[in-house]
Amino acid sequence: MTEKDFIPNSYTTLNDEGEVSYTSPSNIALVKYWGKKENQVPANPSISFTLTACATTTKVKYKKRENRNEEFSFDLLFEGESKEEFKPKINTFLKRVEVYLPFLKDYHFVINTTNSFPHSSGIASSASGMSALALCFMEMEKSFSGTMSPEHFNRKVSFLSRLGSGSACRSIEGTIVQWGETPSIEGSSNLYGIKYPYEVHGVFHNFHDTILLVDKGEKQVSSTVGHELMHGHPFAQQRFDQAHSNLSKLKTIIKEGNLVRFIEIVESEALTLHAMMMTSHPYFILMKPNTLSIINEIWKFRKESRTHVCFTLDAGANVHVLYPEGEKDIIFPFIIEKLVPYCQNGQYICDRIGLGAKKL
Ligand code: DP6
């Protein structure tokens, strides 16, 4: 498939007005996307668990404009209040997707969006936010088109979400989604995420992700800048090669449910992501002292308890604690007792692997 396959032929009807709503979750990468080329093409493949609790709900009300205009027309409400500062990001997204959704300038939109997690939690909302908005626009396109296969719908939503934020393309379906062309995964694409197409061992069903909110402040360096710094990075090529190799190894691990090897890859990926930050020019550190304390506590406890708890990190100081359902009765009390004291204001979110976005 190419980008052109996402340009619609023509619509049967363009409704005068209507309303669509979706809830879309966040996701947590096991193999990390870090570095990109033009047009949101990833420099390396990635794979993630779709989450459940961390989600964005977006309602889009649309109404035909009297005259089609060269500017997009929309109001943006975040948690019920007008948010002018979020508008440029949405405007950039609309510009990028306009050719694939040619009706956008025919309407005025009222976009009403809320997050399930606290605004100031430091949890990135771009994956859930961009995918929820893309889903609403695709639902409109579906109603204008007469028929549309679920496969095309999901692919195009993922494609559009990617243009908003790379990781957002992995939030549409569950429970495991892969994005970025790689030889070990058939059907993999740089243009959209695909539902992981191979066998998944039962140990990954209901997998837990307890998100420890270590630092809720504004990040010193955004993901956008971080991706940019992979251009000319001294270790970029080795890192990109490593991501392909880790994905290929994960295929066997996911099938066999080998948690020991799963942990080795997932933790190494998290630390490599941060190692890339520490070795770019300019260099930067997003982990905080408490991030490291939590990692050390996890390693100590894992050894003592012989359980399979592990961590991963996104582009920030927060720690995602991953563990299987069968070990939660031992691991969760440990998290509460030993790890939560390192969280800012004791805040954490209990999340788990999920099935993807839902129409409301
Ligand atoms: C560290 O998807 O936020 O979370 O495409 O610029 O919006 P943009 O970047 P973004 O980057 C996410 C990076 C990551 C790893 C991952 O989710 O794979």
Side-chain angles (χ1 to χ4, degrees):
M1 280 192 98
T2 70
E3 279 95 340
K4 289 209 176 72
D5 296 310
F6 294 108
I7 300 175
N9 294 330
S10 60
Y11 299 127
T12 38
T13 44
L14 284 188
N15 304 344
D16 285 342
E17 56 188 311
E19 194 179 300
V20 280
S21 301
Y22 266 91
T23 291
S24 190
S26 186
N27 65 76
I28 181 68
L30 307 171
V31 172
K32 309 288 179 181
Y33 148 57
W34 199 242
K36 58 178 158 180
K37 303 173 195 166
E38 247 185 291
N39 299 327
Q40 294 285 101
V41 168
N44 66 263
S46 57
I47 192 165
S48 51
F49 280 159
T50 305
L51 297 177
T52 309
C54 288
T56 298
T57 297
T58 297
K59 178 160 89 183
V60 173
K61 278 191 186 170
Y62 58 94
K63 196 169 179 174
K64 265 252 183 78
R65 291 158 86 180
E66 303 270 304
N67 302 305
R68 192 181 154 96
N69 192 292
E70 270 323 293
E71 298 297 318
F72 296 109
S73 173
F74 66 96
D75 298 324
L76 187 71
L77 301 172
F78 180 70
E79 325 247 276
E81 282 176 32
S82 170
K83 274 276 181 223
E84 287 302 308
E85 63 267 39
F86 289 179
K87 283 181 105 173
K89 204 169 173 189
I90 303 294
N91 214 55
T92 305
F93 173 63
L94 296 177
K95 271 192 210 148
R96 284 188 194 162
V97 299
E98 188 193 354
V99 57
Y100 308 105
L101 298 170
F103 60 83
L104 287 176
K105 282 184 175 155
D106 291 318
Y107 290 96
H108 173 74
F109 300 103
V110 180
I111 304 168
N112 209 320
T113 183
T114 53
N115 286 338
S116 64
F117 41 91
H119 176 45
S120 60
S121 63
I123 294 280
S125 56
S126 68
S128 55
M130 284 298 172
S131 53
L133 186 57
L135 278 154
C136 290
F137 288 140
M138 265 315 280
E139 191 62 33
M140 286 181 67
E141 177 161 288
K142 192 170 127 190
S143 72
F144 301 163
S145 303
T147 58
M148 186 182 289
S149 73
E151 191 189 28
H152 178 77
F153 182 90
N154 281 343
R155 257 192 201 166
K156 184 162 172 183
V157 176
S158 177
F159 170 84
L160 298 171
S161 304
R162 182 193 110 244
L163 295 173
S165 176
S167 55
C169 80
R170 299 186 314 236
S171 277
I172 319 304
E173 294 179 88
T175 51
I176 303 178
V177 178
Q178 191 278 328
W179 168 44
E181 232 173 282
T182 190
S184 64
I185 308 229
E186 215 178 309
S188 58
S189 170
N190 285 337
L191 301 182
Y192 46 82
I194 57 166
K195 192 174 153 69
Y196 180 69
Y198 304 112
E199 199 180 327
V200 177
H201 191 277
V203 78
F204 295 108
H205 295 166
N206 259 332
F207 223 72
H208 289 258
D209 177 4
T210 303
I211 309 165
L212 304 175
L213 306 176
V214 171
D215 185 58
K216 303 189 291 165
E218 184 88 358
K219 273 190 271 183
Q220 287 146 351
V221 180
S222 70
S223 289
T224 311
V225 173
H227 286 293
E228 195 56 42
L229 291 173
M230 288 305 281
H231 291 286
H233 190 293
F235 307 134
Q237 197 49 52
Q238 293 93 318
R239 160 60 198 150
F240 301 148
D241 294 345
Q242 181 197 42
H244 285 275
S245 151
N246 280 345
L247 248 160
S248 156
K249 289 181 192 156
L250 264 184
K251 206 171 134 180
T252 318
I253 294 169
I254 291 177
K255 182 174 167 208
E256 293 175 352
N258 187 334
L259 289 179
V260 173
R261 292 192 59 215
F262 175 80
I263 290 170
E264 275 166 20
I265 292 193
V266 169
E267 292 191 344
S268 165
E269 276 287 325
L271 295 179
T272 303
L273 168 70
H274 285 257
M276 290 300 115
M277 300 172 189
M278 290 190 246
T279 47
S280 58
H281 295 289
Y283 44 79
F284 59 105
I285 301 180
L286 295 184
M287 289 188 285
K288 297 282 177 196
N290 281 356
T291 311
L292 296 180
S293 300
I294 289 171
I295 292 174
N296 280 303
E297 291 280 1
I298 290 174
W299 284 343
K300 185 163 162 263
F301 175 78
R302 187 162 74 220
K303 211 167 161 197
E304 288 164 5
S305 64
R306 293 166 183 268
T307 55
H308 299 91
V309 57
C310 73
F311 71 86
T312 188
L313 307 166
D314 53 19
N318 297 331
V319 182
H320 290 248
V321 187
L322 303 177
Y323 50 101
E325 167 77 9
E327 296 180 359
K328 76 164 191 299
D329 293 345
I330 310 170
I331 295 167
F332 191 64
F334 151 73
I335 294 176
I336 298 299
E337 189 193 343
K338 298 282 189 202
L339 305 185
V340 170
Y342 293 110
C343 297
Q344 206 172 357
N345 306 325
Q347 281 195 297
Y348 63 93
I349 298 170
C350 289
D351 213 332
R352 56 170 68 198
I353 197 165
L355 295 174
K358 280 198 278 287
K359 186 180 166 187
L360 299 177

